[in-house]
Amino acid sequence: MSRSYQLHPSPASASGIDFSKALNEQQLAAVTSPAGAHLVIAGAGSGKTRTLTYRVGWLLEQGYRPGEILLLTFTNKAAREMLERVNALLPGAADGLWSGTFHSIGHRILRRHSHAVGFSEGFTIMDREDQEELLESVVARLGFRASDKRFPKGQVLAELISLGCNTGETLRTLLARRYRYFIDLEDQIAQVATAYEGRKKEVNALDFDDLLSKTHELLLTNPEIAVTYQRRFRAILVDEYQDTNRLQAGLIDTLAAMHKHIMVVGDDAQSIYSWRGADFANILEFPKRYPDSVVHRIETNYRSVPQVLELANASILNNPRQFPKELRAVRKPAITKPALVPLATNNEQASFIAQRVLELHDEGIDFREIAVLYRAHYHSMEIQLEFTRRGIPFGITSGLRFFEQAHIKDVAAFLKFAINPNDEVAFKRMVRLLPGIGNKTAETLWQQAMKLLEGGRSFSLLDKGCKPPSKAQGAWNQLVTTLTELAPKGEPAPPSDMITSVMKSLYDDYMQAKFANYEARRDDLNTLANYAKQFDRTDEFLAQLTLLGGTETSEVTGRDDEEDRVCLSSIHQAKGLEWQVVFLAWLTEGMFPGTRSMEDENALEEERRLFYVGVTRCKDELYLTYPELRLNAAYGEAFQRPSRFLEELPENLTERWEVARAMSRFTPEGDREKQRHQRREFDPADESQEIPWED
């Protein structure tokens, strides 16, 4: 006969936190709410991170153990910041908290149960470039591109597979919605997707989306494993819930199924990522999925002056689907209202912004406190040129990331292959560094290596069993020696030692011959080796490289990223940031909102939310600019209508600036001549921008 026994929480610790003093009334209500389902609608600048941080502190004070709390974020930076804040409140109390991005938590779970989803313990994680290369290999083996030159490239295939994974949409639906010109290739693309799943298991590698999909699959198909984590996580907290996709929302619901103690924090008015799979319905329908949930609104804004918030509130009111809220300012009113500035041409728009930036700087505002935001990156072309002419320092937010750089990925390939000899992508990247070896020879060497190694690490067998070109023989011998050093007696060395070995034996010479900025890249790799010292296991280190793939170079190398320069950014990439002065440029129909969005009410609502996000990045001074005439070498002249987002605003919320044409150094005629010598920039990899030929 069994006996039931109730385990009660440990007594709360006397930390001395005065929650009522540290939080406003709305924040306090959310932070101290009882166990259950809670949706916190946290408006822009309202202290969302503070609310989540104190919620964790409150739970710890109520007797929750750190290991019973799961905190999910979208960026590693956000996860670190919250942990630092919790530890500042309760020193040492958060040790053992499950905190991180969705992908890092998924990786942590999969490392423990990889066999349950068909992968062995030492699996590697492919980034998008690796994924595209493996897909190209699958397409080549199936012979599809040889028979049809139109067959989509690895980049498109990776995007299709990723969207299908994250949204749950069928291939046919995705093709009809985004790639109509590939509809007749549906069967072949489906075959590629199926073969790709098989190849991943052969090479024992997961792609980035697998860290979510395989984790969810694991929980759905293994009830005993699911119960372990459902029982463990007595409280689940989710940041930026409006950005979750269908897969992430399903994973959260599965983990919360036992205790149903979940707090999701977000702002439906800032849901702007549907183009990469985010589902606005997740936050909107949360109360339906959790009928007993409580909705909290946090509407006190600590960032912006009242005039900016009045404009933001008035704009977002035009969206029918939302949780109604009204941001209220703590700060005193500014002297001036947001400026509405029509300009004669797109080049005059650039001239106005540049001149006003210089005036603001003369008034004592640092360049770093000024941002120029726009709908798509190609909107910034004239502004970049004008800033360069006038000597205004500026930075663009879409710089190359640290772990995405070629030299980092090259060295990582050696480590990946050393711990996982089934990693075809790593092997081919590694051998293509050798002289005289291209894609075809790399494939031949791979076939030979597979037969010799049979998944083991007896790398010395490659010395005699593989036949590289004579030009590469010396380098091949050195490669084999290096691989043997990376896994002496078949066991991988520590990751820091591996990096040093690769540099000394092969890669340092390669960099000197290949890269003009050799010394900077060498410093990067030395920094990487130093960073790797905190890891004993190479698989954990490599996983972090992939999970940190979005980390800026300066964040890892310690280089100064606080230069005094104006920020030029798309609004998508500016989300979460703030500046004293914000210029919102190109506010015309067809540019913002974009052409494609104007025919779809859901897309138009998202464009309005994007405008709202841009406005709420501003602390003090807001400038809304648009050209009345667009000059373009390809299309000639085109009159521009002001964006509907401007026309929706009550006139009393803005101050119209009439710009005297003499302020510009360029006449419209001069603009036209200059425009003929400019090439329009367009980045097809940026999903957030409009396609120029549809403007």
Side-chain angles (χ1 to χ4, degrees), residues 159-174 177 209 213 216 244-250 274 276-279 282:
E159 179 72 12
L160 270 170
I161 291 170
S162 178
L163 278 173
C165 176
N166 287 295
T167 64
E169 291 182 283
T170 65
L171 175 60
R172 177 165 296 181
T173 300
L174 286 171
R177 183 163 63 87
D209 294 313
S213 63
H216 201 203
T244 55
N245 57 42
R246 180 176 176 180
L247 174 58
Q248 289 163 330
S274 66
R276 69 182 189 195
D279 192 344
N282 288 342

Side-chain angles (χ1 to χ4, degrees), residues 237-386:
L237 296 89
V238 185
D239 188 21
E240 302 285 11
Y241 189 70
Q242 79 280 347
D243 293 337
T244 55
N245 57 42
R246 180 176 176 180
L247 174 58
Q248 289 163 330
L251 180 58
I252 294 165
D253 291 344
T254 301
L255 289 170
M258 181 177 292
H259 298 293
K260 290 186 169 51
H261 182 182
I262 176 173
M263 176 174 283
V264 299
V265 180
D267 183 3
D268 56 298
Q270 297 187 68
S271 179
I272 59 174
Y273 294 115
S274 66
W275 50 273
R276 69 182 189 195
D279 192 344
F280 178 65
N282 288 342
I283 191 167
L284 209 62
E285 297 176 359
F286 184 87
K288 294 180 182 178
R289 296 208 314 280
Y290 292 87
D292 297 326
S293 62
V294 178
V295 178
H296 306 267
R297 286 176 173 80
I298 301 178
E299 300 166 305
T300 303
N301 177 284
Y302 295 91
R303 175 188 299 154
S304 306
V305 294
Q307 291 93 328
V308 170
L309 296 185
E310 288 170 7
L311 191 149
N313 288 332
S315 175
I316 203 65
L317 271 178
N318 292 281
N319 270 7
R321 297 184 304 156
Q322 62 174 297
F323 289 102
K325 73 182 78 62
E326 183 176 357
L327 292 177
R328 295 185 294 272
V330 169
R331 298 182 58 197
K332 294 180 180 179
I335 298 174
T336 59
K337 297 177 181 180
L340 177 60
V341 191
L343 285 310
T345 67
N346 41 323
N347 291 322
E348 189 170 278
Q349 176 180 240
S351 294
F352 167 78
I353 292 173
Q355 179 172 309
R356 189 68 189 124
V357 164
L358 289 173
E359 291 169 351
L360 290 164
H361 189 253
D362 288 341
E363 293 170 13
I365 297 177
D366 291 340
F367 285 128
R368 70 167 65 92
E369 282 294 339
I370 303 173
V372 182
L373 307 181
Y374 33 78
R375 174 63 180 82
H377 277 301
Y378 69 88
H379 294 174
S380 70
M381 183 187 69
E382 296 95 349
I383 297 168
Q384 291 185 51
L385 292 171
E386 190 66 19

